[in-house]
mmCIF file of all heavy atoms in Angstrom:
data_model
loop_
_atom_site.group_PDB
_atom_site.id
_atom_site.type_symbol
_atom_site.label_atom_id
_atom_site.label_comp_id
_atom_site.label_asym_id
_atom_site.label_seq_id
_atom_site.Cartn_x
_atom_site.Cartn_y
_atom_site.Cartn_z
ATOM 1 N N GLY G 1548 230.788 77.657 -74.553
ATOM 2 C CA GLY G 1548 230.508 78.060 -75.966
ATOM 3 C C GLY G 1548 231.388 79.277 -76.332
ATOM 4 O O GLY G 1548 231.875 80.006 -75.494
ATOM 5 N N SER G 1549 231.605 79.387 -77.603
ATOM 6 C CA SER G 1549 232.530 80.455 -78.129
ATOM 7 C C SER G 1549 231.939 81.807 -77.843
ATOM 8 O O SER G 1549 230.692 81.920 -77.633
ATOM 9 C CB SER G 1549 232.693 80.323 -79.646
ATOM 10 O OG SER G 1549 232.984 79.028 -79.902
ATOM 11 N N PRO G 1550 232.715 82.845 -77.830
ATOM 12 C CA PRO G 1550 232.182 84.209 -77.688
ATOM 13 C C PRO G 1550 231.161 84.498 -78.737
ATOM 14 O O PRO G 1550 231.307 84.142 -79.898
ATOM 15 C CB PRO G 1550 233.406 85.132 -77.867
ATOM 16 C CG PRO G 1550 234.580 84.250 -77.544
ATOM 17 C CD PRO G 1550 234.200 82.882 -77.943
ATOM 18 N N GLY G 1551 230.010 85.078 -78.349
ATOM 19 C CA GLY G 1551 228.947 85.333 -79.275
ATOM 20 C C GLY G 1551 227.941 84.273 -79.508
ATOM 21 O O GLY G 1551 226.883 84.517 -80.125
ATOM 22 N N VAL G 1552 228.162 83.119 -78.913
ATOM 23 C CA VAL G 1552 227.238 82.040 -79.134
ATOM 24 C C VAL G 1552 225.937 82.290 -78.414
ATOM 25 O O VAL G 1552 224.841 81.767 -78.738
ATOM 26 C CB VAL G 1552 227.869 80.667 -78.713
ATOM 27 C CG1 VAL G 1552 228.018 80.523 -77.225
ATOM 28 C CG2 VAL G 1552 227.036 79.443 -79.259
ATOM 29 N N GLY G 1553 226.009 83.074 -77.275
ATOM 30 C CA GLY G 1553 224.822 83.496 -76.582
ATOM 31 C C GLY G 1553 224.839 82.935 -75.147
ATOM 32 O O GLY G 1553 223.712 82.689 -74.553
ATOM 33 N N LYS G 1554 225.985 82.784 -74.542
ATOM 34 C CA LYS G 1554 226.087 82.253 -73.195
ATOM 35 C C LYS G 1554 225.305 83.116 -72.207
ATOM 36 O O LYS G 1554 224.505 82.646 -71.445
ATOM 37 C CB LYS G 1554 227.511 82.093 -72.731
ATOM 38 C CG LYS G 1554 228.297 81.007 -73.433
ATOM 39 C CD LYS G 1554 229.720 80.926 -72.941
ATOM 40 C CE LYS G 1554 230.552 82.121 -73.242
ATOM 41 N NZ LYS G 1554 230.642 82.489 -74.668
ATOM 42 N N SER G 1555 225.634 84.407 -72.196
ATOM 43 C CA SER G 1555 224.974 85.294 -71.192
ATOM 44 C C SER G 1555 223.466 85.438 -71.480
ATOM 45 O O SER G 1555 222.706 85.429 -70.456
ATOM 46 C CB SER G 1555 225.650 86.654 -71.111
ATOM 47 O OG SER G 1555 225.766 87.256 -72.343
ATOM 48 N N THR G 1556 223.064 85.505 -72.671
ATOM 49 C CA THR G 1556 221.664 85.597 -73.006
ATOM 50 C C THR G 1556 220.980 84.256 -72.565
ATOM 51 O O THR G 1556 219.860 84.274 -71.982
ATOM 52 C CB THR G 1556 221.439 85.794 -74.550
ATOM 53 O OG1 THR G 1556 222.355 86.716 -74.983
ATOM 54 C CG2 THR G 1556 219.993 86.093 -74.849
ATOM 55 N N THR G 1557 221.626 83.111 -72.699
ATOM 56 C CA THR G 1557 221.102 81.866 -72.317
ATOM 57 C C THR G 1557 221.003 81.727 -70.814
ATOM 58 O O THR G 1557 219.971 81.309 -70.247
ATOM 59 C CB THR G 1557 221.969 80.708 -72.818
ATOM 60 O OG1 THR G 1557 222.071 80.800 -74.294
ATOM 61 C CG2 THR G 1557 221.400 79.330 -72.431
ATOM 62 N N ARG G 1594 225.411 91.870 -68.482
ATOM 63 C CA ARG G 1594 225.066 90.995 -69.595
ATOM 64 C C ARG G 1594 223.893 90.119 -69.276
ATOM 65 O O ARG G 1594 223.411 89.374 -70.080
ATOM 66 C CB ARG G 1594 226.265 90.147 -70.036
ATOM 67 C CG ARG G 1594 227.417 91.040 -70.674
ATOM 68 C CD ARG G 1594 228.691 90.272 -70.701
ATOM 69 N NE ARG G 1594 228.663 89.213 -71.658
ATOM 70 C CZ ARG G 1594 228.884 87.907 -71.329
ATOM 71 N NH1 ARG G 1594 229.095 87.615 -70.085
ATOM 72 N NH2 ARG G 1594 228.827 87.009 -72.274
ATOM 73 N N GLU G 1640 229.819 79.388 -66.052
ATOM 74 C CA GLU G 1640 230.015 79.764 -67.378
ATOM 75 C C GLU G 1640 231.563 79.659 -67.737
ATOM 76 O O GLU G 1640 232.362 80.080 -66.913
ATOM 77 C CB GLU G 1640 229.535 81.200 -67.560
ATOM 78 C CG GLU G 1640 229.712 81.798 -68.909
ATOM 79 C CD GLU G 1640 229.254 83.296 -68.956
ATOM 80 O OE1 GLU G 1640 229.177 83.939 -67.903
ATOM 81 O OE2 GLU G 1640 229.137 83.800 -70.063
ATOM 82 N N ASN G 1687 221.916 77.168 -80.343
ATOM 83 C CA ASN G 1687 221.201 78.513 -80.041
ATOM 84 C C ASN G 1687 220.820 79.244 -81.323
ATOM 85 O O ASN G 1687 221.227 78.879 -82.417
ATOM 86 C CB ASN G 1687 222.085 79.332 -79.090
ATOM 87 C CG ASN G 1687 221.375 80.540 -78.554
ATOM 88 O OD1 ASN G 1687 220.122 80.556 -78.498
ATOM 89 N ND2 ASN G 1687 222.060 81.615 -78.269
ATOM 90 N N LYS G 1688 220.042 80.263 -81.067
ATOM 91 C CA LYS G 1688 219.591 81.200 -82.200
ATOM 92 C C LYS G 1688 218.729 80.454 -83.199
ATOM 93 O O LYS G 1688 218.731 80.803 -84.392
ATOM 94 C CB LYS G 1688 220.790 81.861 -82.845
ATOM 95 C CG LYS G 1688 221.779 82.544 -81.791
ATOM 96 C CD LYS G 1688 222.705 83.529 -82.411
ATOM 97 C CE LYS G 1688 223.651 84.038 -81.302
ATOM 98 N NZ LYS G 1688 224.631 85.043 -81.753
ATOM 99 N N ALA G 1689 218.044 79.454 -82.722
ATOM 100 C CA ALA G 1689 217.050 78.774 -83.620
ATOM 101 C C ALA G 1689 215.784 79.662 -83.682
ATOM 102 O O ALA G 1689 214.788 79.288 -83.065
ATOM 103 C CB ALA G 1689 216.754 77.365 -83.164
ATOM 104 N N ASP G 1690 215.927 80.711 -84.360
ATOM 105 C CA ASP G 1690 214.737 81.649 -84.527
ATOM 106 C C ASP G 1690 214.829 82.351 -85.875
ATOM 107 O O ASP G 1690 215.902 82.366 -86.497
ATOM 108 C CB ASP G 1690 214.721 82.702 -83.336
ATOM 109 C CG ASP G 1690 216.083 83.317 -83.052
ATOM 110 O OD1 ASP G 1690 216.711 83.754 -84.059
ATOM 111 O OD2 ASP G 1690 216.501 83.422 -81.929
ATOM 112 N N ASN G 1693 217.164 81.687 -89.077
ATOM 113 C CA ASN G 1693 218.176 80.689 -88.644
ATOM 114 C C ASN G 1693 217.529 79.358 -88.390
ATOM 115 O O ASN G 1693 218.175 78.372 -88.250
ATOM 116 C CB ASN G 1693 218.762 81.112 -87.378
ATOM 117 C CG ASN G 1693 220.052 81.959 -87.725
ATOM 118 O OD1 ASN G 1693 220.669 81.703 -88.750
ATOM 119 N ND2 ASN G 1693 220.389 82.907 -86.850
ATOM 120 N N TYR G 1725 217.290 75.651 -79.757
ATOM 121 C CA TYR G 1725 216.506 76.597 -78.908
ATOM 122 C C TYR G 1725 216.881 78.022 -79.279
ATOM 123 O O TYR G 1725 217.725 78.242 -80.114
ATOM 124 C CB TYR G 1725 216.870 76.311 -77.407
ATOM 125 C CG TYR G 1725 218.185 76.889 -76.951
ATOM 126 C CD1 TYR G 1725 218.204 78.049 -76.149
ATOM 127 C CD2 TYR G 1725 219.394 76.329 -77.369
ATOM 128 C CE1 TYR G 1725 219.402 78.590 -75.755
ATOM 129 C CE2 TYR G 1725 220.605 76.849 -76.975
ATOM 130 C CZ TYR G 1725 220.615 78.000 -76.206
ATOM 131 O OH TYR G 1725 221.740 78.505 -75.787
ATOM 132 N N SER G 1726 216.139 78.906 -78.640
ATOM 133 C CA SER G 1726 216.447 80.332 -78.862
ATOM 134 C C SER G 1726 216.453 81.070 -77.462
ATOM 135 O O SER G 1726 215.476 81.087 -76.828
ATOM 136 C CB SER G 1726 215.404 81.019 -79.733
ATOM 137 O OG SER G 1726 215.536 82.423 -79.615
ATOM 138 N N ALA G 1727 217.641 81.539 -77.139
ATOM 139 C CA ALA G 1727 217.758 82.281 -75.840
ATOM 140 C C ALA G 1727 217.013 83.592 -75.899
ATOM 141 O O ALA G 1727 216.515 84.060 -74.894
ATOM 142 C CB ALA G 1727 219.207 82.468 -75.524
ATOM 143 N N LEU G 1728 216.869 84.070 -77.160
ATOM 144 C CA LEU G 1728 216.215 85.370 -77.338
ATOM 145 C C LEU G 1728 214.762 85.318 -77.098
ATOM 146 O O LEU G 1728 214.170 86.138 -76.402
ATOM 147 C CB LEU G 1728 216.500 85.884 -78.752
ATOM 148 C CG LEU G 1728 216.531 87.404 -78.963
ATOM 149 C CD1 LEU G 1728 217.623 88.070 -78.105
ATOM 150 C CD2 LEU G 1728 216.797 87.718 -80.447
ATOM 151 N N THR G 1729 214.102 84.315 -77.647
ATOM 152 C CA THR G 1729 212.632 84.162 -77.505
ATOM 153 C C THR G 1729 212.274 83.279 -76.329
ATOM 154 O O THR G 1729 211.151 83.306 -75.858
ATOM 155 C CB THR G 1729 212.019 83.489 -78.768
ATOM 156 O OG1 THR G 1729 212.464 82.170 -78.874
ATOM 157 C CG2 THR G 1729 212.373 84.235 -80.090
HETATM 158 P P1 GDP N 165 228.208 85.279 -75.337
HETATM 159 O O1 GDP N 165 229.453 86.041 -75.746
HETATM 160 O O2 GDP N 165 228.304 83.816 -75.574
HETATM 161 O O3 GDP N 165 227.837 85.511 -73.890
HETATM 162 O O4 GDP N 165 226.934 85.796 -76.171
HETATM 163 P P2 GDP N 165 225.837 86.841 -75.837
HETATM 164 O O5 GDP N 165 224.819 86.266 -74.960
HETATM 165 O O6 GDP N 165 226.465 88.169 -75.383
HETATM 166 O O7 GDP N 165 225.100 86.996 -77.267
HETATM 167 C C1 GDP N 165 225.860 87.469 -78.413
HETATM 168 C C2 GDP N 165 224.849 88.065 -79.425
HETATM 169 O O8 GDP N 165 223.943 87.097 -79.914
HETATM 170 C C3 GDP N 165 224.009 89.154 -78.768
HETATM 171 O O9 GDP N 165 223.882 90.210 -79.735
HETATM 172 C C4 GDP N 165 222.689 88.509 -78.499
HETATM 173 O O10 GDP N 165 221.655 89.391 -78.512
HETATM 174 C C5 GDP N 165 222.625 87.510 -79.659
HETATM 175 N N1 GDP N 165 221.786 86.363 -79.301
HETATM 176 C C6 GDP N 165 221.942 85.541 -78.194
HETATM 177 N N2 GDP N 165 221.003 84.626 -78.202
HETATM 178 C C7 GDP N 165 220.265 84.699 -79.338
HETATM 179 C C8 GDP N 165 219.170 83.981 -79.876
HETATM 180 O O11 GDP N 165 218.660 83.036 -79.367
HETATM 181 N N3 GDP N 165 218.768 84.453 -81.115
HETATM 182 C C9 GDP N 165 219.265 85.481 -81.766
HETATM 183 N N4 GDP N 165 218.825 85.816 -82.927
HETATM 184 N N5 GDP N 165 220.329 86.212 -81.256
HETATM 185 C C10 GDP N 165 220.813 85.811 -80.044
#
Side-chain angles (χ1 to χ4, degrees):
S1549 312
V1552 73
K1554 289 181 298 300
S1555 50
T1556 315
T1557 301
R1594 293 164 68 241
E1640 181 186 15
N1687 188 24
K1688 308 196 186 182
D1690 46 47
N1693 271 329
Y1725 77 106
S1726 167
L1728 207 60
T1729 67

